[in-house]
Amino acid sequence: MSAFNAIGEEREIDRDEYTPGIEPQPTWCPGCGDFGVLKALKQALPEVGRSPEETLVCTGIGCSGKLNSYLDSYGFHTIHGRSLPVARAANLANPGLEVIAAGGDGDGYGIGGNHFIHTARENHDMTYIVFNNEIFGLTKGQTSPTSPKGHKSKTQPHGSAKSPIRPLSLSLTAGSSYVARTAAVNPNQAKEILIEAMEHDGFAHVDFLTQCPTWNKDAKQYVPYIDIQDSDDYSHDIHDRGEAADMAQQAEEALYEGEVLTGRFYVDDDRPSYTQEKQEIGEMPEEPLAERYFDDDYEWETERSYDLLDRHA
Ligand SMILES: Cc1ncc(C[n+]2csc(CCOP(=O)(O)OP(=O)(O)O)c2C)c(N)n1
Ligand code: SF4
Ligand SMILES: [Mg+2]
């Protein structure tokens, strides 16, 4: 089987391409849904046609944040909630990179929630995978922004009084041009969705349901799932924002009643990415900024930066 790389060259798919030579032993607990994300990503990446040298995975803090330790690509383990700003900078400096940001529900919908909203609004060209286990896993089971109302934990021993974040609806409202939900228990669908998300030009948000059997026993609710694209009960138009909003709301209501609706919720192929918009108005060069570092003859506009330094001297 073959795929095409960034400059259209045909290349053979090597399914082990993203598996490190000396494979580190993941420290995730047995049965953790994070294994499902790693597996789906390792299968999806070669099919997108990118090599590990063309791929950057920026992660947040949490069990989910360890993802890039187990992948043979470039990686940046950022601070809590900050995978997106780092991923944005990398994408702006080198739009040729396949940029993936990944982190937990606490990381992305809590402490990094502001970055999520604005990265979606600006439609930065990247894939954002949120490992949604409805709990703070790494720090041993505190209530997270997606924990259901009434959920008991060490931090909310009488049950959470808060309604959970609705990540699909929030994503759509903020401006994501691709919104999907998949689950670790459904690796084939997960792989297909990750391929689509990576091939999409713009901000592709994948809410990835991952069970945490250690700290969130309610994880069993993720089985069985329904694929809304395969089911006769659902037939919304994924290109229609209004229909997508209704479907997202329905899925979010259903989740807390134990029915897991997964699949594509919204796809907008026409909206230009932030980089395309900037290039259109002449504020961003066609040549990647990153390449200037390798060009000894490039004349940097140093005056402005020296001015700035003088002012702070
Ligand atoms: C600024 C900051 N606040 C708090 C923490 C402690 N902390 C580490 S991971 C984490 C929560 C992780 O939960 P989530 O993002 O859902 O990831 P999971 O472990 O469930 O994959 C917290 C609160 C931290 N590292 N940095
Ligand atoms: S604590 Fe939960 S999320 Fe973290 S590795 Fe264990 S099962 Fe996975
Ligand atoms: Mg979590």
Side-chain angles (χ1 to χ4, degrees):
M1 200 174 172
S2 60
F4 292 91
N5 70 9
I7 53 169
E9 287 169 342
E10 195 164 358
R11 58 198 294 278
E12 281 304 304
I13 291 178
D14 174 0
R15 297 199 181 279
D16 295 324
E17 201 167 15
Y18 285 83
T19 301
I22 301 170
E23 208 172 342
Q25 196 60 34
T27 55
W28 293 321
C29 311
C32 175
D34 297 7
F35 286 102
V37 186
L38 178 65
K39 187 175 175 200
L41 199 54
K42 273 187 181 177
Q43 290 181 347
L45 275 163
E47 290 201 27
V48 174
R50 292 306 190 87
S51 64
E53 307 86 66
E54 293 174 310
T55 307
L56 171 71
V57 183
C58 299
T59 57
I61 299 298
C63 298
S64 41
K66 299 175 187 174
L67 177 77
N68 49 12
S69 305
Y70 313 134
L71 268 177
D72 201 8
S73 69
Y74 285 110
F76 197 135
H77 200 162
T78 74
I79 56 172
H80 205 15
R82 269 55 181 180
S83 67
L84 285 173
V86 174
R88 282 165 62 158
N91 171 251
L92 289 174
N94 189 357
L97 269 182
E98 185 65 51
V99 176
I100 298 162
D105 43 313
D107 188 89
Y109 302 148
I111 192 168
N114 192 27
H115 297 300
F116 173 49
I117 291 170
H118 292 283
T119 311
R121 175 174 74 91
E122 294 167 18
N123 200 28
H124 289 266
D125 185 14
M126 65 180 70
T127 300
Y128 184 38
I129 305 170
V130 183
F131 295 52
N132 184 358
N133 55 10
E134 300 179 4
I135 204 85
F136 287 2
L138 187 75
T139 43
K140 304 191 173 175
Q142 298 84 358
T143 301
S144 92
T146 51
S147 302
K149 195 170 181 181
H151 178 264
K152 290 188 180 167
S153 71
K154 289 179 196 164
T155 47
Q156 308 279 328
H158 304 294
S160 172
K162 302 172 196 171
S163 289
I165 285 253
R166 313 280 162 154
L168 304 172
S169 300
L170 177 63
S171 184
L172 199 60
T173 307
S176 299
S177 49
Y178 182 98
V179 183
R181 168 173 271 170
T182 187
V185 292
N186 188 1
N188 293 334
Q189 183 207 45
K191 182 186 116 183
E192 294 307 322
I193 283 184
L194 289 180
I195 291 173
E196 275 177 25
M198 287 189 273
E199 287 178 344
H200 176 77
D201 290 331
F203 188 68
H205 168 222
V206 180
D207 184 72
F208 206 126
L209 300 172
T210 51
Q211 67 275 15
C212 172
T214 304
W215 299 110
N216 193 357
K217 302 291 182 210
D218 299 338
K220 63 181 181 302
Q221 67 175 296
Y222 297 143
V223 188
Y225 65 88
I226 293 166
D227 186 326
I228 54 173
Q229 266 79 44
D230 283 352
S231 166
D232 292 338
D233 296 338
Y234 306 96
S235 64
H236 86 287
D237 177 0
I238 55 170
H239 302 295
D240 185 304
R241 182 175 274 274
E243 288 190 29
D246 288 344
M247 192 62 238
Q249 200 178 6
Q250 205 176 327
E252 284 160 342
E253 294 298 329
L255 182 66
Y256 296 112
E257 284 153 24
E259 187 179 40
V260 185
L261 304 181
T262 61
R264 296 89 177 144
F265 287 82
Y266 184 61
V267 182
D268 181 350
D269 291 319
D270 298 327
R271 190 176 161 209
S273 69
Y274 184 75
T275 301
Q276 288 166 338
E277 297 267 20
K278 290 292 254 187
Q279 283 175 342
E280 190 121 318
I281 57 172
E283 281 189 358
M284 201 159 151
E286 293 287 334
E287 161 217 6
L289 286 173
E291 281 182 16
R292 293 186 183 173
Y293 287 99
F294 300 105
D295 182 357
D296 290 340
D297 298 330
Y298 186 78
E299 281 186 33
W300 288 91
E301 290 176 32
T302 46
E303 247 174 66
R304 270 172 60 194
S305 48
Y306 283 130
D307 278 358
L308 198 71
L309 287 178
D310 287 346
R311 264 185 277 142
H312 286 82

